[in-house]
Amino acid sequence: MRYWLVMPAAGSGRRFGACSPKQYAPLEGRTVIEWALRPFLEDGRCAGLVVAVPAADDEWPAINARLGGGAGTGSEGNVSRVRAVEGGDCRSRSVRHALAALAGRAAPADWVLVHDAARPCLAAEDLERLLTSVEPHALGGLLAAPAADTLKRASAPEPAHPAGAVGVAATVDRSVLWRALTPQMFRYGRLCAALDAAHAAGRFPTDEAEALEWQGEHPLLIAGAASNIKITTPDDLLLAGAILRARHTHGRSMQMRIGSGFDVHAFGPGDFLMLGGIRIAHSRGVVAHSDGDVVLHALCDALLGAAGLGDIGQHFPDSDARWRGADSRRFVSEALALLRQQGLAVANVDVTVLAQAPKVGPHREAMRAAIAALLGLAPERVNIKATTTEGLGFLGRGEGIASQASVLLVESAPCPPRS
Ligand code: MG
């Protein structure tokens, strides 16, 4: 399927009480409207987005540029999917202006989603549920939340009541009441016709569904999360920030990278080995350009691999004199710096040493502590294992030593990257 996105963003937000309209209020490193647009910008099924902004709006151009769009209102030839039109004096007129901008691009049976610029917390799951639930339906529907609080109908104000207080006339049956959210999803042709009929009758619906209800239609109510809040007061921004941060923290378990590394060095003349940054006395040394630490070389490859950054040979070629006899901790530190630039952090490391000798056991805790310190991890996040090869192969014949390493990286950036 494909759909179009229309976003009325021309309101001045009188209840918001700031000099800037609420859709342009800063929120978690962006503006409210950028968060509101994000789920649709990230959805390949969204064929195009039309935003209805205030006339002579001086904030939209900068936001549009950050979204990868053109210079401003009505810019033709915009390479981006985002286009701005001038809004109207009320929501339904702004929506109608935006729909008019889709004429010639959207077919009458195409789906159009209308989403509030002041709803920055739409979850991807709710968008998915709306699309899959409404698609088979002829007319359309909207996200909505069942009323959770007990609801009272107020009586007329009386002089005896304190200022701002009214009496209760009745408790309302909340089981049949839902709060209308957005997106609302309708066929392009039907929505245009319903809004035109309403406007011709001098009626201005407060949401798109109402225009269709006036034509005797019954749009679907699709259960959506109450966290899809509408920013109305400055306090709502604090709540929206908490929702977005919680979602990002929770979502971090999904933002993981895994990497593996392997390294071998032949034994040669010498009386010690470097293993995991620890000097271990041995009857042989290793043949290597650097200090020949197979554990740190495997670890470095695992780190670079998890980050999609190639391998140790590309970053520290043994043809480069700078790395002659190099302390391999430097390779790991430099790889770690590259990961940090990408907002990646190491979650844990698991290393296996493969050799007939030397015995790793006596040095295990020292290696663990050294690697943990190098990576800035708690020692519990680093594991060192060792195995022989039961006398088989080049390792079994004592011709050399090998190591395998696995690492898990997590995205550590406080804010998701801009789309
Ligand atoms: Mg090596």
Side-chain angles (χ1 to χ4, degrees):
M1 79 171 295
R2 70 166 189 169
Y3 65 86
W4 305 87
L5 187 277
V6 158
M7 181 167 286
S12 58
R14 280 182 296 276
R15 280 174 291 179
F16 194 64
C19 31
S20 186
K22 60 191 176 182
Q23 62 268 25
Y24 298 142
L27 173 64
E28 295 297 300
R30 306 183 189 197
T31 55
V32 169
I33 192 171
E34 285 172 87
W35 286 106
L37 286 167
R38 189 167 192 251
F40 308 100
L41 289 167
E42 290 181 348
D43 186 355
R45 294 165 294 186
C46 182
L49 304 88
V50 184
V51 183
V53 300
D57 183 27
D58 51 5
E59 302 198 49
W60 171 255
I63 291 169
N64 194 34
R66 286 207 293 277
L67 296 171
T73 301
S75 58
E76 298 295 339
N78 196 338
V79 292
S80 152
R81 289 181 293 155
V82 185
R83 185 168 164 195
V85 297
E86 192 177 308
D89 57 2
C90 66
R91 178 200 172 88
S92 72
R93 280 209 170 108
S94 290
V95 169
R96 190 63 188 87
H97 288 188
L99 290 169
L102 291 174
R105 296 167 74 201
D110 278 2
W111 290 111
V112 174
L113 272 63
V114 181
H115 186 53
D116 293 333
R119 289 193 195 271
C121 300
L122 171 64
E125 310 88 83
D126 275 12
L127 173 58
E128 203 57 45
R129 191 177 319 108
L130 176 73
L131 292 171
T132 54
S133 305
V134 171
E135 196 189 3
H137 195 245
L139 178 75
L142 60 144
L143 286 180
D149 299 316
T150 297
L151 297 172
K152 306 291 186 189
R153 178 174 295 119
S155 57
E158 292 174 27
H161 290 146
V166 290
V168 170
T171 296
V172 180
D173 176 13
R174 73 168 184 220
S175 67
V176 296
L177 295 179
W178 295 57
R179 292 186 299 113
L181 311 173
T182 70
Q184 305 205 350
M185 174 171 168
F186 295 100
R187 303 275 185 189
Y188 177 66
R190 284 301 311 275
L191 182 55
C192 290
L195 289 173
D196 287 344
H199 293 170
R203 304 173 85 187
F204 300 94
T206 55
D207 71 351
E208 291 60 54
E210 193 175 21
L212 287 133
E213 292 159 35
W214 287 341
Q215 300 199 320
E217 300 287 2
H218 299 282
L220 294 175
L221 293 171
I222 309 299
S227 60
N228 182 10
I229 60 168
K230 186 173 187 175
I231 305 292
T232 307
T233 69
D235 277 352
D236 295 332
L237 280 177
L238 299 176
L239 182 56
I243 291 167
L244 293 170
R245 280 195 303 278
R247 197 172 285 158
H248 179 62
T249 306
H250 179 69
R252 268 175 66 170
S253 59
M254 304 301 291
Q255 305 296 319
M256 298 184 293
R257 314 276 194 93
I258 196 165
S260 68
F262 179 73
D263 193 42
V264 184
H265 281 273
F267 284 137
D271 59 3
F272 73 94
L273 306 173
M274 293 305 296
L275 272 189
I278 299 296
R279 184 183 168 110
I280 296 174
H282 190 51
S283 55
R284 316 287 310 275
V286 293
V287 179
H289 188 254
S290 66
D291 67 5
D293 190 326
V294 285
V295 168
L296 295 189
H297 294 183
L299 174 59
C300 189
D301 258 358
L303 292 168
L304 293 169
L309 290 171
D311 65 26
I312 192 170
Q314 289 171 251
H315 291 269
F316 316 105
D318 57 14
S319 55
D320 189 331
R322 269 185 303 166
W323 313 122
R324 186 183 304 280
D327 179 341
S328 296
R329 288 178 298 186
R330 221 180 122 189
F331 302 152
V332 174
S333 296
E334 298 212 7
L336 199 60
L338 293 172
L339 306 192
R340 286 183 176 144
Q341 282 171 20
Q342 296 200 2
L344 295 168
V346 182
N348 76 302
V349 172
D350 186 25
V351 170
T352 304
V353 179
L354 302 99
Q356 289 300 125
K359 285 206 176 305
V360 166
H363 309 287
R364 190 191 308 267
E365 289 309 313
M367 287 168 61
R368 190 181 198 189
I371 291 171
L374 194 53
L375 298 176
L377 291 179
E380 309 85 76
R381 300 290 190 107
V382 177
N383 190 64
I384 309 286
K385 312 188 298 293
T387 185
T388 67
T389 59
E390 301 290 347
L392 299 171
F394 67 92
L395 295 168
R397 291 189 296 273
E399 293 169 11
I401 183 166
S403 178
Q404 291 177 333
S406 300
V407 304
L408 187 73
L409 304 183
V410 290
E411 294 191 352
S412 64
C415 221
R418 284 189 180 281
S419 43

